Amino acid sequence: ETAGEETDVSLELPTLGLSRRDFMKAGAAVGAMGSIAGCTSLAGNDGAGGTTTPHSNSGDVPDHFVPPGEHDEYYGFWSGGHSGDIRIYGLPSMRELTRIPVFNPEQAKGYGFDNQTTEMLESAGDYTWGDSHHPSLSETDGKYDGKYLFVNDKAHGRVARVNLKYFETDAITNIPNVQSVHGCCIQSPDTEYVFANSEFRTPLPNDGRDINNPDKYVSLFTALDPDSMEVLWQVEVDGNLDILDTDKDGRWAISSAYNDEEGVEIEEMTKNDRDFVKAFDVPAIQKAVDAGNYKKVNGIPVVDGTKESSLNKGDNPIVRYVPTPKSPHCVEVEPNGKYAMVAGKLSPTVSIIDIEKLGTASDPKDTIVGQPKLGLGPLHTTYDGRGHAYTSLFIDSQVVKWDIETAINSPKKSEDAILGKIDVHYNPGHIQAIQAMSTEPTGDWLVVLNKLSKDRFLPVGPIYPDNDQLIYIGNDKDDETGGMELVSDHPVYPEPHDAIFAAKDKIQPAKTWDAADYEGEKEYVKESNSRVERIDEETVEVYTSVKRSEYGLRDFTVKEGDEVTLTATNIEGSQDIVHGLAIPEHNVHLALAPQDTREATFTADKPGVYWIYCTYFCSALHLEMRSRMIVEPR
Ligand code: CUK
Ligand code: CUA
């Protein structure tokens, strides 16, 4: 049994899903399970596409079950990992609401099938997959403003932007000089920059030079303009960069980093006991750029932020190197912007950086004001806004809740800071509480993204789902878990790394398209204006409206070998009436939301008759909703 000990537990308690410890603790309450308040369904079906774990022994957890027809309180934006997408969930139900394709062409939404998205993917490197890890919501005044979500592509060194009016990716930047982007976040509090960490060290530029000189490989911190999505500048540093977060005042961007040894083999990378967190003084870097203090590589200003750089020698270094135990993983700044937590990964500690001291301490190591020992494999930390931090323990398969000020004030006794631990299933990576990345944490729900599910679900073959678990954190209690209560389990398709949550009123998606948003780039095709225009011997433009249950053109004729550009507008005004436009044997599919226009260019290279049909079931006459493309032989 690969699941080891835990397998036994779940075999004993197949429907409860409680750990042995929870079971003991719950004691008599288990016998009275049927009466647990707030627990709507003990049969394991919460209607959420997941299994329900009954709440443990307390009756004061609000209901996570959202009745039919009612809405969730919160939006959750999950990265899809190497699926390349963003998934949208409602919380607390954890129902998946939709997905937004980002780095992956995706046919249901026609993404990578119409000209606009195809051209965007092509000009961003023409890759057909990506590895999305860190979603970051745009902010105004430290609060989510609902405009954009940014996310990195670890696989190809890119950053994408999702427009939250249309829940659609509207820009992807392929960042020069870097191979892989890992850490990615906006600058708080006003989204003046988007930052991206390159994780892998490579020659600069990576064009065949310095292949055998690993000491010349570099890692870069990149700043992008959130509006134009252009790269503004980069900073070269020592070691590999990893995860990233910013303070709440627009000054510091703080990166975890490993491999200060600058080795290429694992043994070399982990030789030393110390690594250095990099704290980037953003205004100081901007000043250096404005003063022309950089070299240009592939058109991008690259500022020298290495330890030896003259820009780091004076009183106002542009990058501070803060020593931590080796190979730390996360950086997460707490909602007040006072402290940044850097989790140990290989060390059982979390290092607490006092952000104000980054600007004042003469020795960077004095910025670390606490280093509580929390458990094995600490990876990520989140917050409830009541002074508590929650850290995932990858190796221990637990979440530990701890008190930040106590950890700082009792540096010798870490136990004093620990408020409780709860078992999770299994091997958690990111952990995220509602709005914890902004200045407005709500402190009620927390999701822990477990990498392994082992025995938690029906077996589905050798590639298992992950397991996202919902934990209620609204009760501070003096018990074993510090009041944390495991509420539900949710299988997820591989492999989200991170998530970010916003109250529902922060996000205001459009119900239909507004043609003003694409006017000038595309023609809104009215029914009366549906037509075929021959441009030259080999080029044809076809324009058609689309509505229930007909295309503006019942048929159209082109010649074998013609390059056809088809423009289609869904002229419906009613929300939720989406139409598709599929052309068999031509790999053409448009998904058309109401008032949206899309274009597809293709070659009609096979003479014959092709039945164009609608892919979205839109009316009783959906199956009859057709047009014919007639391709005449030359
Ligand atoms: S990383 Cu995945 S568990 Cu890419 Cu945010 Cu830490
Ligand atoms: Cu239009 Cu189905």
Side-chain angles (χ1 to χ4, degrees):
E1 286 293 332
T2 50
E5 242 184 275
E6 300 90 343
T7 307
D8 302 331
V9 174
S10 87
L11 287 176
E12 277 169 33
L13 301 165
T15 54
L16 301 183
L18 299 174
S19 74
R20 187 190 300 276
R21 222 164 44 155
D22 288 340
F23 183 71
M24 304 301 283
K25 193 163 58 102
V30 173
M33 199 61 93
S35 63
I36 289 174
C39 212
T40 326
S41 165
L42 289 174
N45 177 9
D46 60 359
T51 48
T52 297
T53 303
H55 310 146
S56 53
N57 49 343
S58 87
D60 46 8
V61 171
D63 207 338
H64 68 284
F65 175 79
V66 175
E70 289 186 21
H71 290 181
D72 278 291
E73 278 303 302
Y74 304 108
Y75 281 96
F77 300 86
W78 260 247
S79 63
H82 44 280
S83 293
D85 55 7
I86 291 287
R87 294 106 184 246
I88 317 297
Y89 289 55
L91 271 82
S93 77
M94 296 286 281
R95 293 178 295 191
E96 185 176 302
L97 304 175
T98 192
R99 295 183 181 190
I100 303 171
V102 180
F103 301 112
N104 54 318
E106 200 269 338
Q107 61 269 33
K109 290 192 167 173
Y111 182 80
F113 288 81
D114 73 319
N115 289 356
Q116 186 188 328
T117 55
T118 303
E119 278 158 23
M120 183 173 68
L121 288 164
E122 279 174 5
S123 64
D126 207 10
Y127 308 111
T128 52
W129 76 287
D131 191 0
S132 58
H133 279 218
H134 299 114
S136 182
L137 290 169
S138 60
E139 293 178 4
T140 300
D141 200 18
K143 304 174 173 79
Y144 301 142
D145 60 21
K147 284 190 199 148
Y148 294 118
L149 177 145
F150 300 88
V151 67
N152 70 301
D153 172 14
K154 170 160 166 153
H156 304 109
R158 298 183 290 178
V159 172
R161 184 178 68 192
V162 172
N163 172 336
L164 291 176
K165 179 173 182 189
Y166 293 114
F167 275 49
E168 185 173 315
T169 306
D170 72 357
I172 304 176
T173 300
N174 193 359
I175 299 175
N177 305 329
V178 310
Q179 190 153 89
S180 164
V181 165
H182 195 204
C184 174
C185 69
I186 59 112
Q187 187 194 43
S188 275
D190 289 312
T191 321
E192 288 185 28
Y193 300 90
V194 179
F195 298 121
N197 276 346
S198 77
E199 179 165 9
F200 302 147
R201 298 175 63 250
T202 47
L204 180 67
N206 192 14
D207 59 0
R209 72 187 70 187
D210 296 330
I211 294 171
N212 295 313
N213 279 332
D215 50 323
K216 287 205 159 172
Y217 298 180
V218 304
S219 186
L220 296 171
F221 170 77
T222 300
L224 296 99
D225 180 313
D227 296 314
S228 68
M229 285 295 279
E230 274 166 21
V231 175
L232 298 169
W233 39 257
Q234 298 180 313
V235 182
E236 176 184 341
V237 293
D238 298 316
N240 289 45
L241 293 171
D242 191 10
I243 312 273
L244 177 65
D245 199 4
T246 73
D247 69 4
K248 307 291 183 195
D249 298 315
R251 178 161 181 195
W252 298 100
I254 305 164
S255 295
S256 60
Y258 58 98
N259 190 22
D260 191 56
E261 301 84 344
E262 308 206 320
V264 287
E265 312 282 349
I266 186 168
E267 296 78 9
E268 297 164 1
M269 294 189 199
T270 53
K271 209 163 68 197
N272 300 348
D273 286 337
R274 305 259 103 183
D275 273 301
F276 292 89
V277 159
K278 275 80 176 173
F280 297 90
D281 187 337
V282 176
I285 295 165
Q286 186 64 57
K287 226 169 110 190
V289 172
D290 295 343
N293 240 325
Y294 56 79
K295 61 180 172 191
K296 253 197 178 171
V297 185
N298 285 319
I300 308 297
V302 179
V303 180
D304 185 359
T306 59
K307 268 181 241 162
E308 293 312 310
S309 165
S310 59
L311 293 168
N312 280 335
K313 293 286 185 229
D315 287 346
N316 193 11
I318 61 166
V319 184
R320 300 220 83 183
Y321 284 67
V322 181
T324 65
K326 71 170 151 189
S327 297
H329 187 57
C330 85
V331 179
E332 278 112 6
V333 171
E334 50 83 33
N336 296 315
K338 256 181 109 175
Y339 304 113
M341 310 304 170
V342 180
K345 192 169 73 179
L346 301 185
S347 151
T349 61
V350 166
S351 301
I352 305 174
I353 294 177
D354 183 324
I355 292 174
E356 206 184 297
K357 291 204 159 97
L358 284 171
T360 57
S362 52
D363 186 340
K365 82 171 176 341
D366 297 337
T367 62
I368 295 187
V369 294
Q371 212 160 49
K373 206 171 174 182
L374 298 173
L376 296 183
L379 286 192
H380 291 281
T381 299
T382 193
Y383 308 97
D384 61 14
R386 302 188 300 272
H388 312 128
Y390 301 77
T391 299
S392 59
L393 300 172
F394 182 82
I395 297 169
D396 280 342
S397 281
Q398 288 185 317
V399 170
V400 51
K401 174 180 177 180
W402 53 285
D403 187 83
I404 299 168
E405 290 299 337
T406 310
I408 293 166
N409 296 327
S410 334
K412 295 257 140 55
K413 292 201 352 231
S414 301
E415 318 76 86
D416 293 354
I418 294 177
L419 300 169
K421 292 188 177 183
I422 191 168
D423 292 337
V424 295
H425 313 85
Y426 304 91
N427 303 92
H430 274 276
I431 180 171
Q432 197 62 254
I434 309 276
Q435 296 191 160
M437 302 303 282
S438 76
T439 55
E440 303 180 298
T442 61
D444 45 2
W445 302 100
L446 172 157
V447 176
V448 51
L449 285 72
N450 298 293
K451 298 296 182 189
L452 309 190
S453 61
K454 296 183 185 177
D455 51 4
R456 299 294 277 190
F457 307 113
L458 280 177
V460 288
I463 295 187
Y464 284 54
D466 292 11
N467 183 17
D468 289 351
Q469 290 184 303
L470 182 70
I471 292 176
Y472 186 69
I473 55 169
N475 297 324
D476 294 324
K477 279 193 218 160
D478 194 9
D479 61 9
E480 199 178 352
T481 67
M484 290 185 280
E485 304 212 23
L486 175 60
V487 167
S488 59
D489 272 27
H490 298 269
V492 267
Y493 195 68
E495 177 186 281
H497 277 250
D498 195 5
I500 188 164
F501 313 133
K504 62 182 171 191
D505 60 5
K506 303 241 178 238
I507 311 289
Q508 307 287 344
K511 294 196 161 141
T512 65
W513 268 85
D514 180 348
D517 285 339
Y518 58 79
E519 251 169 24
E521 291 158 41
K522 286 178 286 196
E523 175 181 333
Y524 181 101
V525 185
K526 296 196 185 99
E527 203 164 10
S528 57
N529 217 11
S530 299
R531 65 197 188 274
V532 178
E533 274 180 31
R534 177 157 289 280
I535 304 300
D536 61 33
E537 246 328 276
E538 284 160 350
T539 317
V540 179
E541 292 178 357
V542 179
Y543 296 83
T544 184
S545 61
V546 183
K547 66 172 191 191
R548 279 164 289 183
S549 304
E550 58 183 355
Y551 296 98
L553 294 175
R554 297 277 169 104
D555 59 55
F556 61 89
T557 302
V558 297
K559 284 212 167 64
E560 176 186 359
D562 274 343
E563 186 189 86
V564 182
T565 295
L566 175 76
T567 303
T569 299
N570 179 348
I571 59 172
E572 304 263 6
S574 342
Q575 69 184 66
D576 205 11
I577 305 298
V578 184
H579 298 287
L581 190 159
I583 310 182
E585 298 179 43
H586 288 76
N587 205 37
V588 172
H589 178 236
L590 299 177
L592 296 155
Q595 297 295 305
D596 193 11
T597 297
R598 300 277 158 166
E599 302 162 337
T601 300
F602 59 96
T603 305
D605 49 6
K606 292 169 291 225
V609 173
Y610 300 93
W611 283 101
I612 295 175
Y613 75 99
C614 173
T615 46
Y616 276 82
F617 205 112
C618 52
S619 73
L621 288 170
H622 158 76
L623 290 172
E624 288 81 356
M625 183 169 169
R626 305 272 190 86
S627 175
R628 257 184 325 151
M629 176 170 80
I630 294 161
V631 183
E632 289 176 340
R634 282 259 172 206

